[in-house]
Amino acid sequence: MMTNLKVVLQIDEIKVAIQSVRNHHKSFLTNFFPETFKHGIWIKKNELALIMLSETYFLIYSDGGFKRLFYISSGLSELAESLDILKNKYPGEKYVTDLVGKGDMLNDVCSVFLKTGFTLYSSLTRMSSTKYPALKTIDPSVDFADISEVLLVDSLFKQYFDKYTEQLPLIEELKSWIEKKQMLVYRSGKEIGGFLIFDKTNSTAYLRYWFVHPNFRDLKIGSKLINRFFIENKDAIRILFWVIETNENAIKRYKHYGFHTEELRDLVLTYNIPLNER
Amino acid sequence: MKDKITTILKEIRPEFDFTENVNFIDEGMLDSFDVVTLVTTLDKEYHISIDGLDIVPDNFSSIDSIRALLKKNGVNDES
């Protein structure tokens, strides 16, 4: 059990932490990028905690058997020192952390974590496009999800998604996407053969999750879902999504559709999570 | 200053037109990662240290709001 953690009660506490780090007038390193809705729920449920160790603030979210670790630090050596303190202060804790960035800075931060004993679990790259393939007609089996389907979708996430690489959405997030008509499902009778979830603004459509049930493979459900996604976001200037870097077939397919890989990468690292638990 | 800000934004997100009169955050032209990148770039470019409490979406939603933030940090309008 982690003691001496302060539960975050308001988002302003994180801003104060950021300010405190920046007051050192050194670098500013972070992997915490505020998502108002999701992090608001974490805070409301008292599930996000904060601890300051040396010149680094760690934000810690309990995520079903492990802790998701975020940092706000004044530099690489400071981060390294703070990670050592964290490791020794709470031996036995299991962490997953996402390092998001580009180039040398990302590699340098990753090195710090690896030297502390973290292991690279997976890596993702972001892909985007500003032009889209020709749109086909809407398949009637693809429609917006209904609120009555939220628990079914949630169970599919828990059963088929990698909880370390993917940040599994909260029920509240799923409900919100359904209400905003940002969750598409392929229905086959009462079953869901696949789903696609996205965020959208006027300019950007962000494909968050895209899933085809193993029992429904080879029915081109994935194509039908993505086609509807393109139709619903035909006015977007940019479409983007994350893809696992080793999934060469998928990357090749997306490039065929006009997407290109960006420099932005997401390295997922774990600490103290045995191979048989992954 | 306005031209320089536009150039910096264009380097971060070349696919968007930052001369449009829209809210960059609401429109999805800048996400939270972009904001962190922008803060780091502005700090380096203008040799300032933007206050952590000022790293909020509203301050990066338009050229004018970014300009106001830079002026708050002592940057001259001709910079």
Side-chain angles (χ1 to χ4, degrees):
Chain A
M1 186 172 155
M2 297 180 87
T3 53
N4 297 325
L5 294 181
K6 188 195 169 307
V7 173
V8 175
L9 298 174
Q10 295 178 67
I11 198 78
D12 278 353
E13 294 171 43
I14 300 172
K15 293 178 192 171
V16 168
I18 291 171
Q19 183 53 42
S20 171
V21 165
R22 288 174 70 77
N23 280 343
H24 293 293
H25 298 293
K26 297 178 188 175
S27 279
F28 175 61
L29 305 175
T30 186
N31 68 340
F32 186 77
F33 305 105
E35 291 183 50
T36 311
F37 185 71
K38 179 165 78 176
H39 296 146
I41 296 170
W42 290 1
I43 291 171
K44 201 171 163 183
K45 290 182 171 182
N46 293 337
E47 288 175 350
L48 187 64
L50 186 66
I51 185 166
M52 186 185 81
L53 298 171
S54 187
E55 288 184 22
T56 300
Y57 279 88
F58 290 108
L59 286 157
I60 294 169
Y61 172 66
S62 295
D63 194 354
F66 62 93
K67 306 278 191 273
R68 248 182 225 284
L69 186 67
F70 304 92
Y71 60 87
I72 305 168
S73 187
S74 61
L76 289 169
S77 57
E78 292 81 356
L79 178 60
E81 184 190 336
S82 304
L83 280 168
D84 274 333
I85 298 171
L86 180 74
K87 200 174 69 170
N88 294 323
K89 194 173 171 70
Y90 303 109
E93 283 294 338
K94 298 174 183 178
Y95 300 109
V96 175
T97 194
D98 283 74
L99 308 182
V100 179
K102 320 175 183 179
D104 289 340
M105 181 44 80
L106 176 64
N107 293 335
D108 290 344
V109 173
C110 184
S111 292
V112 165
F113 275 86
L114 293 176
K115 282 177 188 158
T116 308
F118 278 73
T119 308
L120 181 64
Y121 177 75
S122 69
S123 61
L124 303 100
T125 185
R126 199 164 77 174
M127 299 189 79
S128 63
S129 178
T130 53
K131 55 183 190 301
Y132 316 121
L135 302 175
K136 303 183 183 118
T137 52
I138 293 176
D139 188 301
S141 299
V142 175
D143 200 0
F144 292 109
D146 183 81
I147 200 71
S148 61
E149 293 168 314
V150 68
L151 293 179
L152 182 48
V153 172
D154 184 58
S155 70
L156 291 172
F157 267 106
K158 290 185 163 80
Q159 193 173 356
Y160 293 106
F161 280 69
D162 177 350
K163 64 181 177 183
Y164 301 123
T165 300
E166 311 270 4
Q167 293 192 27
L168 301 193
L170 304 167
I171 289 278
E172 291 90 339
E173 289 182 278
L174 295 175
K175 285 182 181 174
S176 174
W177 279 316
I178 292 173
E179 282 159 11
K180 290 188 289 188
K181 291 197 176 317
Q182 289 171 195
M183 184 190 298
L184 297 165
V185 292
Y186 178 97
R187 292 194 186 96
S188 177
K190 287 188 179 167
E191 287 185 87
I192 289 179
F195 62 77
L196 187 152
I197 297 173
F198 58 94
D199 282 321
K200 68 185 279 185
T201 61
N202 287 338
S203 302
T204 300
Y206 177 13
L207 199 167
R208 298 293 297 262
Y209 303 98
W210 184 16
F211 167 76
V212 177
H213 195 294
N215 294 348
F216 290 85
R217 295 273 154 90
D218 299 324
L219 295 176
K220 298 197 185 300
I221 292 174
S223 299
K224 292 170 183 174
L225 285 165
I226 199 79
N227 180 63
R228 183 65 185 268
F229 166 68
F230 287 141
I231 289 172
E232 295 300 326
N233 293 284
K234 62 183 186 305
D235 294 328
I237 293 172
R238 177 180 69 141
I239 287 184
L240 54 90
F241 55 88
W242 290 92
V243 64
I244 293 176
E245 285 182 327
T246 52
N247 195 342
E248 289 169 1
N249 283 339
I251 292 175
K252 207 167 150 181
R253 195 164 63 239
Y254 301 141
K255 283 183 175 173
H256 172 72
Y257 279 132
F259 289 88
H260 65 272
T261 50
E262 297 184 357
E263 290 177 50
L264 200 63
R265 300 175 71 209
D266 179 353
L267 304 179
V268 181
L269 285 84
T270 61
Y271 181 81
N272 253 352
I273 296 179
L275 280 170
N276 62 354
E277 279 184 36
R278 301 185 183 185
Chain B
M1 190 197 284
K2 210 167 160 176
D3 288 343
K4 203 169 184 182
I5 295 170
T6 309
T7 303
I8 290 170
L9 289 168
K10 203 81 180 147
E11 279 167 5
I12 294 172
R13 292 259 69 95
E15 63 268 41
F16 291 121
D17 180 3
F18 290 98
T19 61
E20 280 185 33
N21 187 21
V22 295
N23 183 309
F24 301 153
I25 308 294
D26 288 350
E27 285 291 305
M29 294 160 76
L30 295 175
D31 59 29
S32 52
F33 179 79
D34 294 329
V35 168
V36 171
T37 304
L38 179 56
V39 165
T40 308
T41 306
L42 292 173
D43 279 354
K44 281 193 186 132
E45 189 68 30
Y46 292 103
H47 309 290
I48 56 175
S49 179
I50 293 172
D51 199 297
L53 296 171
D54 284 333
I55 303 177
V56 292
D58 277 350
N59 285 342
F60 301 94
S61 59
S62 66
I63 300 283
D64 284 342
S65 60
I66 297 169
R67 224 163 113 214
L69 182 62
L70 291 174
K71 281 185 181 176
K72 184 182 173 184
N73 282 270
V75 177
N76 196 298
D77 216 355
E78 272 118 53
S79 306

